[in-house]
Coordinates of all heavy atoms in Angstrom, one line a residue:
S1 N 113.5 106.7 94.3 CA 112.6 105.6 94.8 C 113.0 105.2 96.2 O 114.2 105.5 96.6 CB 112.6 104.4 93.9 OG 113.8 103.7 94.0
P2 N 112.2 104.5 97.0 CA 112.6 104.0 98.3 C 113.8 103.1 98.1 O 114.7 103.0 99.0 CB 111.4 103.1 98.7 CG 110.2 103.8 98.1 CD 110.7 104.3 96.7
L3 N 113.9 102.3 97.0 CA 115.0 101.5 96.7 C 116.3 102.3 96.5 O 117.4 101.9 97.1 CB 114.7 100.6 95.4 CG 115.5 99.3 95.3 CD1 115.3 98.4 96.5 CD2 114.9 98.6 94.1
H4 N 116.2 103.3 95.8 CA 117.4 104.2 95.6 C 117.9 104.7 97.0 O 119.1 104.7 97.3 CB 117.1 105.4 94.8 CG 117.0 105.2 93.3 ND1 115.8 104.9 92.7 CD2 117.9 105.1 92.4 CE1 116.0 104.7 91.4 NE2 117.3 104.9 91.2
R5 N 117.0 105.1 97.8 CA 117.3 105.7 99.1 C 118.0 104.7 100.1 O 118.9 105.0 100.8 CB 116.1 106.4 99.8 CG 115.6 107.5 99.0 CD 114.6 108.4 99.8 NE 114.0 109.4 99.0 CZ 113.3 110.4 99.5 NH1 113.2 110.6 100.8 NH2 112.8 111.4 98.7
A6 N 117.4 103.5 100.0 CA 118.0 102.4 100.9 C 119.4 102.0 100.4 O 120.3 101.8 101.2 CB 117.1 101.2 100.9
I7 N 119.6 102.0 99.1 CA 120.9 101.7 98.5 C 121.9 102.8 98.9 O 123.0 102.5 99.3 CB 120.8 101.5 97.0 CG1 120.0 100.2 96.7 CG2 122.2 101.4 96.4 CD1 119.6 100.1 95.2
K8 N 121.5 104.0 98.7 CA 122.4 105.1 98.9 C 122.9 105.1 100.4 O 124.0 105.5 100.7 CB 121.7 106.4 98.6 CG 122.6 107.6 98.7 CD 121.9 108.9 98.3 CE 122.8 110.1 98.3 NZ 122.1 111.4 97.9
N9 N 122.0 104.7 101.3 CA 122.4 104.7 102.7 C 122.8 103.4 103.3 O 122.9 103.2 104.5 CB 121.2 105.3 103.5 CG 121.0 106.8 103.3 OD1 121.7 107.6 103.8 ND2 120.0 107.1 102.4
D10 N 123.1 102.4 102.3 CA 123.6 101.1 102.7 C 122.8 100.3 103.6 O 123.3 99.7 104.6 CB 125.1 101.3 103.2 CG 125.8 100.0 103.2 OD1 125.5 99.1 102.4 OD2 126.8 99.8 104.0
H11 N 121.5 100.3 103.4 CA 120.5 99.5 104.2 C 120.2 98.3 103.5 O 119.1 98.2 102.9 CB 119.3 100.4 104.6 CG 119.6 101.6 105.3 ND1 120.4 101.7 106.5 CD2 119.2 102.9 105.1 CE1 120.5 102.9 106.9 NE2 119.8 103.7 106.1
S12 N 121.0 97.3 103.5 CA 120.9 96.1 102.7 C 119.6 95.3 103.1 O 118.9 94.7 102.3 CB 122.1 95.2 102.8 OG 122.4 94.8 104.1
D13 N 119.3 95.3 104.5 CA 118.1 94.6 104.9 C 116.8 95.2 104.4 O 115.9 94.5 104.0 CB 118.1 94.5 106.4 CG 118.3 95.9 107.1 OD1 118.5 96.8 106.4 OD2 118.2 95.9 108.4
V14 N 116.8 96.5 104.3 CA 115.7 97.2 103.7 C 115.5 96.9 102.2 O 114.5 96.6 101.7 CB 115.7 98.7 103.9 CG1 114.6 99.4 103.2 CG2 115.6 99.0 105.4
V15 N 116.7 96.9 101.5 CA 116.7 96.6 100.1 C 116.1 95.2 99.8 O 115.3 95.0 98.9 CB 118.1 96.7 99.5 CG1 118.2 96.1 98.1 CG2 118.6 98.1 99.5
Q16 N 116.5 94.2 100.7 CA 116.1 92.9 100.5 C 114.6 92.8 100.7 O 113.9 92.1 99.9 CB 116.8 92.0 101.5 CG 116.5 90.5 101.4 CD 117.0 89.9 100.1 OE1 118.1 90.1 99.7 NE2 116.1 89.3 99.3
I17 N 114.0 93.4 101.7 CA 112.6 93.4 101.9 C 111.8 94.1 100.8 O 110.8 93.6 100.3 CB 112.3 94.1 103.3 CG1 112.7 93.3 104.5 CG2 110.8 94.4 103.4 CD1 112.1 91.9 104.6
L18 N 112.3 95.2 100.3 CA 111.7 95.8 99.2 C 111.7 95.0 97.9 O 110.7 94.9 97.2 CB 112.4 97.2 98.9 CG 112.2 98.3 99.9 CD1 113.1 99.5 99.6 CD2 110.8 98.7 100.0
L19 N 112.8 94.3 97.7 CA 112.8 93.4 96.5 C 111.9 92.2 96.7 O 111.2 91.8 95.7 CB 114.3 92.9 96.3 CG 115.3 94.0 95.9 CD1 116.7 93.4 95.8 CD2 114.9 94.6 94.5
E20 N 111.8 91.7 97.9 CA 110.9 90.6 98.1 C 109.4 91.0 97.9 O 108.6 90.2 97.6 CB 111.1 90.0 99.5 CG 112.4 89.3 99.7 CD 112.6 88.9 101.2 OE1 111.8 89.1 102.0 OE2 113.7 88.3 101.5
A21 N 109.2 92.3 98.1 CA 107.8 92.8 97.9 C 107.5 93.1 96.5 O 106.5 93.7 96.1 CB 107.6 94.1 98.8
K22 N 108.5 92.8 95.6 CA 108.4 93.0 94.2 C 108.2 94.5 93.8 O 107.5 94.9 92.9 CB 107.2 92.2 93.6 CG 107.2 90.8 93.9 CD 108.4 90.1 93.3 CE 108.4 88.6 93.7 NZ 109.6 87.9 93.2
I23 N 108.9 95.3 94.5 CA 108.9 96.8 94.2 C 109.6 97.0 92.9 O 110.5 96.2 92.5 CB 109.6 97.6 95.3 CG1 109.3 99.1 95.2 CG2 111.1 97.3 95.4 CD1 109.7 99.9 96.3
E24 N 109.2 98.0 92.1 CA 109.8 98.2 90.8 C 111.3 98.5 90.9 O 111.7 99.3 91.7 CB 109.1 99.5 90.2 CG 109.7 99.9 88.9 CD 109.7 98.9 87.8 OE1 108.6 98.3 87.6 OE2 110.8 98.6 87.2
T25 N 112.1 97.7 90.2 CA 113.5 97.8 90.3 C 114.2 98.7 89.3 O 115.4 98.9 89.3 CB 114.2 96.4 90.2 OG1 113.8 95.8 88.9 CG2 113.7 95.5 91.3
N26 N 113.4 99.2 88.3 CA 114.0 100.0 87.2 C 113.6 101.4 87.2 O 113.7 102.1 86.2 CB 113.6 99.3 85.9 CG 114.1 97.8 85.9 OD1 115.3 97.6 86.2 ND2 113.2 96.9 85.5
T27 N 113.1 101.9 88.3 CA 112.8 103.4 88.4 C 114.0 104.2 88.2 O 115.1 103.8 88.6 CB 112.0 103.7 89.7 OG1 112.9 103.3 90.8 CG2 110.7 103.0 89.7
L28 N 113.9 105.4 87.8 CA 115.0 106.3 87.6 C 115.0 107.4 88.7 O 114.0 107.9 89.0 CB 114.9 107.0 86.2 CG 114.9 106.0 85.0 CD1 114.8 106.8 83.7 CD2 116.1 105.1 85.0
D29 N 116.2 107.7 89.2 CA 116.3 108.8 90.1 C 116.5 110.1 89.4 O 116.4 110.2 88.2 CB 117.4 108.5 91.1 CG 118.8 108.5 90.5 OD1 118.9 108.8 89.3 OD2 119.8 108.0 91.2
Q30 N 116.9 111.2 90.1 CA 117.0 112.5 89.5 C 118.2 112.6 88.6 O 118.3 113.5 87.7 CB 117.1 113.6 90.6 CG 118.2 113.3 91.6 CD 118.0 114.2 92.8 OE1 117.3 115.2 92.8 NE2 118.7 113.9 93.9
R31 N 119.1 111.6 88.7 CA 120.3 111.5 87.7 C 120.0 110.5 86.6 O 120.8 110.2 85.8 CB 121.5 111.1 88.5 CG 122.0 112.0 89.6 CD 123.1 111.4 90.4 NE 124.2 111.1 89.6 CZ 125.2 110.3 90.1 NH1 125.2 109.8 91.3 NH2 126.3 110.0 89.3
Q32 N 118.7 110.1 86.6 CA 118.2 109.1 85.6 C 119.0 107.8 85.7 O 119.2 107.1 84.7 CB 118.4 109.7 84.1 CG 117.6 111.0 83.8 CD 116.1 110.6 83.9 OE1 115.6 109.8 83.1 NE2 115.4 111.3 84.8
Q33 N 119.3 107.5 86.9 CA 120.0 106.2 87.2 C 119.0 105.2 87.8 O 118.2 105.6 88.6 CB 121.2 106.4 88.1 CG 122.4 107.1 87.4 CD 123.6 107.0 88.3 OE1 123.5 106.9 89.6 NE2 124.7 106.9 87.7

């Protein structure tokens, strides 16, 4: 998910904006995380 990618690359400001937009926080990546 966009959230996974922002976290993996340490973009905290992007993570904050995505969370404020109520993006789904429980999606699974290819490792099912």
Side-chain angles (χ1 to χ4, degrees):
S1 71
L3 205 51
H4 283 96
R5 297 195 184 194
I7 290 169
K8 185 176 181 179
N9 291 280
D10 198 23
H11 301 310
S12 58
D13 50 355
V14 172
V15 170
Q16 186 63 50
I17 290 298
L18 291 172
L19 292 175
E20 289 175 2
K22 306 299 181 184
I23 193 170
E24 174 59 50
T25 59
N26 300 312
T27 55
L28 302 178
D29 63 11
Q30 52 194 346
R31 298 171 59 192
Q32 296 296 298
Q33 289 190 329

